[in-house]
Amino acid sequence: MNDPVLLNGTREKVQICLDGITLQAPGFTGVIEEVNAHHRPTRSLSLDEQEEEKLALLAALKDDDLEITHEFELEVHDDGEAVATRSLSGKAPSINMEVPITDGKVPLAVLHYDEAGIPQLIFPSAATRSLSGATTFVIPRKKAVQMDGERIKTRGEKKGLLKRIIRVISGAVGGVVKKGVTKWENKHRPYGLNLIAGPKVTSGIANWDQFARSGVPSAEGTTLLMIPGTFKNTEGSFGPLLESSSMDFLYDHYRERVLAFDHPNLHQSPSENVEWLLDNLPKDRVHNFDLLTASRGGLVAREFIRRVASNDTKGRKITINKALLVAACNQGTALADPENIKNLLNRYMLMTSLIPIPMVSKILGGILAVVRGIGSAALTHLPGLSDQAARKDNDFLKTLNANYEHKTAIYGIGANYNPQNANIKSYLMNTVVDRLFQDEANDVVVPTQGCFEAPGAYRFPIKHIEYDETKDIFHMNYFKTETVRKQIENWLGEAIPVA
């Protein structure tokens, strides 16, 4: 660490640490100080939350051989909006941080928290490597919104100083994205059918007979199969539901027959996921399922329904009675287009500031696995993401939305998120992502309409609930919301009308 450095608003490059990192911030005055990356809190949380949050991030970084090589605290005095140092474009000059390679570690990204604690991953733009080998990162200038002189918080009610946190994430060159993500998912998101008993998740059914211990033969009754979404496993997607009284209801309703299907959801497509599921369902019994899905899990469910309707089940006897799709991208999402993956990662990073800290650790690893590749190479094909793309040439969605008949009753839940927090609203309105949505209602990640409409698909639009902006529901808090949980109870608990 080194002494605090004053920023005086000139265009001069200022060295801000002994390892040669420089900052150029015309019109910007304040103090920047390098801090201990392993112990400094991100924002004004309780001591326990501060430590838990930092440990979750450090553990996720370590899992992919990444680390925070430098961390800075920037106290903002004046962001220079009113100074006469504007560029010819009329925009305020950018804040540029140049980071050299240190001890062989390549700077891959900067994790920047604004004054309100809203996180954003910043990647080097094309051709930013200087002759000296340093990489340039452009730090956002925009201030967080203040109300009554207090800092707006994303989590908690505590006051805090108007400071930013800048973390430099470094590591070895990541190579091809898919190869690195495959390695990470094979370790951390392997395939498995998990037994669910309330909040308890027992990984990997090896003996299907143990699933019949409740006294219900495997050839009778209906099993609830839960299918998680992008970047997440069972606990990451359904954690708040598993810990709620709604899970007690579902556990009793299905007579203890509740499973969850964990699967790699980045480097493998929904079709490949269903292929593994069919291979691993026993042939010697009849399978009756209801499905409950989150996000991308809805596409896996619909591919499963398509295979059953086509009698393409590898000899398995399967009936799918109901499918309840929560926040599904039936029309795709522009965020999953390969050129928008960085925006997708930042949407998920934003949401980590809005959810309980224990859930954050369930998604960080997948995000960082992609970061490692993006920071050093052009993005290559990740089928688990690209099959969610809204592009017209998405052959997977074309097949899925063809008008094939099936007997499954499908329900949908979606939301239009309009944040009450002024800083989050400002962030969302000032990113390219919202232009990608073309002012469509969305839950931060998927278009609201796509949660229940799929042009040309059989039985679509489906029976659905659309929560408006007053409910404060976004892509990762559906199952935390009691009204959503009660709707799940109602639809999964009701008898299916005869078609």
Side-chain angles (χ1 to χ4, degrees):
M1 293 190 293
N2 52 280
D3 294 332
V5 175
L6 293 175
L7 301 175
N8 59 14
T10 69
R11 294 180 177 273
E12 180 185 359
K13 279 187 184 179
V14 179
Q15 184 168 313
I16 59 176
C17 80
L18 297 177
D19 286 329
I21 297 179
T22 64
L23 199 71
Q24 185 182 31
F28 198 109
T29 60
V31 178
I32 189 165
E33 179 182 8
E34 187 177 14
V35 297
N36 188 326
H38 297 284
H39 297 97
R40 199 69 175 216
T42 301
R43 42 187 183 270
S44 183
L45 307 173
S46 71
L47 290 176
D48 287 345
E49 287 176 325
Q50 290 172 5
E51 187 64 18
E52 191 174 356
E53 180 185 56
K54 179 61 73 67
L55 289 174
L57 176 60
L58 292 175
L61 288 164
K62 185 177 180 181
D63 274 342
D64 203 43
D65 298 323
L66 301 174
E67 63 178 290
I68 301 170
T69 48
H70 298 86
E71 179 171 337
F72 300 92
E73 189 175 79
L74 174 59
E75 185 175 335
V76 180
H77 295 165
D78 187 344
D79 67 359
E81 289 185 357
V83 300
T85 56
R86 299 188 180 277
S87 64
L88 293 176
S89 67
K91 297 180 180 178
S94 60
I95 301 173
N96 297 325
M97 173 182 275
E98 280 196 2
V99 185
I101 296 174
T102 305
D103 297 329
K105 299 181 180 70
V106 178
L108 301 177
V110 162
L111 181 54
H112 170 254
Y113 298 82
D114 71 10
E115 298 95 325
I118 296 175
Q120 181 179 357
L121 284 163
I122 301 166
F123 298 91
S125 56
T128 59
R129 190 83 63 185
S130 70
L131 294 176
S132 63
T135 300
T136 300
F137 298 91
V138 179
I139 309 297
R141 299 186 69 98
K142 191 172 180 61
K143 278 185 176 180
V145 179
Q146 296 182 67
M147 298 178 66
D148 300 325
E150 295 186 5
R151 170 182 166 186
I152 302 297
K153 288 289 183 292
T154 51
R155 193 192 286 128
E157 299 297 330
K158 303 178 186 298
K159 297 180 182 179
L161 296 174
L162 287 174
K163 293 187 177 180
R164 302 183 182 199
I165 297 295
I166 299 170
R167 292 172 173 164
V168 179
I169 298 175
S170 302
V173 173
V176 179
V177 177
K178 185 175 180 180
K179 183 177 179 180
V181 171
T182 299
K183 180 180 177 181
W184 186 89
E185 286 202 298
N186 285 342
K187 180 179 179 182
H188 298 283
R189 293 283 185 273
Y191 280 109
L193 281 164
N194 306 325
L195 285 164
I196 305 296
K200 183 179 180 182
V201 179
T202 304
S203 299
I205 286 186
N207 181 356
W208 277 81
D209 290 336
Q210 77 182 67
F211 191 41
R213 286 179 183 171
S214 63
V216 180
S218 293
E220 299 176 14
T222 300
T223 297
L224 177 63
L225 180 64
M226 304 168 72
I227 308 177
T230 305
F231 294 121
K232 296 186 284 281
N233 59 5
T234 301
E235 294 102 320
S237 281
F238 300 106
L241 176 67
L242 300 181
E243 296 173 357
S244 72
S245 60
S246 293
M247 196 65 233
D248 296 332
F249 168 83
L250 295 174
Y251 195 57
D252 290 340
H253 178 72
Y254 289 98
R255 301 176 69 181
E256 304 180 17
R257 300 172 58 83
V258 183
L259 292 175
F261 176 35
D262 273 347
H263 55 279
N265 45 61
L266 296 173
H267 82 274
Q268 291 213 318
S269 68
S271 298
E272 290 172 303
N273 297 153
V274 172
E275 190 76 7
W276 185 95
L277 180 59
L278 292 172
D279 281 337
N280 286 271
L281 291 176
K283 283 186 175 182
D284 61 351
R285 60 201 68 201
V286 175
H287 301 280
N288 294 299
F289 287 116
D290 284 352
L291 309 178
L292 174 62
T293 74
S295 187
R296 174 189 180 278
L299 301 186
V300 177
R302 291 186 58 210
E303 173 67 2
F304 191 22
I305 292 168
R306 187 188 71 80
R307 294 286 296 267
V308 170
S310 305
N311 198 27
D312 183 14
T313 60
K314 298 193 167 186
R316 275 68 176 176
K317 299 175 183 177
I318 302 170
T319 299
I320 302 175
N321 306 298
K322 302 178 187 177
L324 202 171
L325 316 181
V326 179
C329 50
N330 295 300
Q331 296 180 13
T333 171
L335 286 172
D337 292 350
E339 61 269 24
N340 296 327
I341 296 302
K342 294 176 184 178
N343 293 313
L344 176 69
L345 297 179
N346 269 317
R347 282 301 168 105
Y348 275 90
M349 286 303 303
L350 167 69
M351 290 186 290
T352 64
S353 68
L354 303 173
I355 60 177
I357 290 174
M359 289 182 63
V360 173
S361 61
K362 306 296 183 184
I363 71 167
L364 274 176
I367 294 173
L368 293 170
V370 180
V371 165
R372 186 168 184 263
I374 289 179
S376 57
L379 181 66
T380 54
H381 189 53
L382 287 175
L385 293 180
S386 60
D387 279 356
Q388 301 176 65
R391 305 165 82 101
K392 292 181 179 180
D393 59 354
N394 185 337
D395 291 335
F396 171 73
L397 281 184
K398 285 181 183 177
T399 299
L400 201 61
N401 291 334
N403 192 23
Y404 59 88
E405 293 188 9
H406 59 78
K407 297 181 179 180
T408 304
I410 305 180
Y411 307 82
I413 292 178
N416 179 24
Y417 181 59
N418 186 8
Q420 306 305 305
N421 183 312
N423 288 296
I424 297 170
K425 192 169 191 174
S426 176
Y427 171 81
L428 293 177
M429 289 176 66
N430 284 280
T431 60
V432 68
V433 176
D434 292 279
R435 295 194 292 275
L436 293 174
F437 279 128
Q438 297 180 339
D439 297 324
E440 280 185 282
N442 65 85
D443 70 358
V444 181
V445 174
V446 302
T448 308
Q449 191 174 28
C451 295
F452 46 84
E453 290 191 7
Y458 185 64
R459 291 193 175 177
F460 276 79
I462 53 178
K463 185 175 182 179
H464 65 276
I465 293 287
E466 177 184 347
Y467 294 101
D468 65 28
E469 57 192 34
T470 64
K471 301 299 184 183
D472 207 32
I473 295 174
F474 58 91
H475 196 71
M476 281 171 57
N477 75 345
Y478 284 90
F479 298 106
K480 191 175 183 293
T481 307
E482 185 176 6
T483 53
V484 173
R485 296 197 301 264
K486 290 301 179 184
Q487 187 60 57
I488 290 170
E489 287 184 35
N490 290 340
W491 275 337
L492 292 181
E494 72 181 8
I496 302 174
V498 178

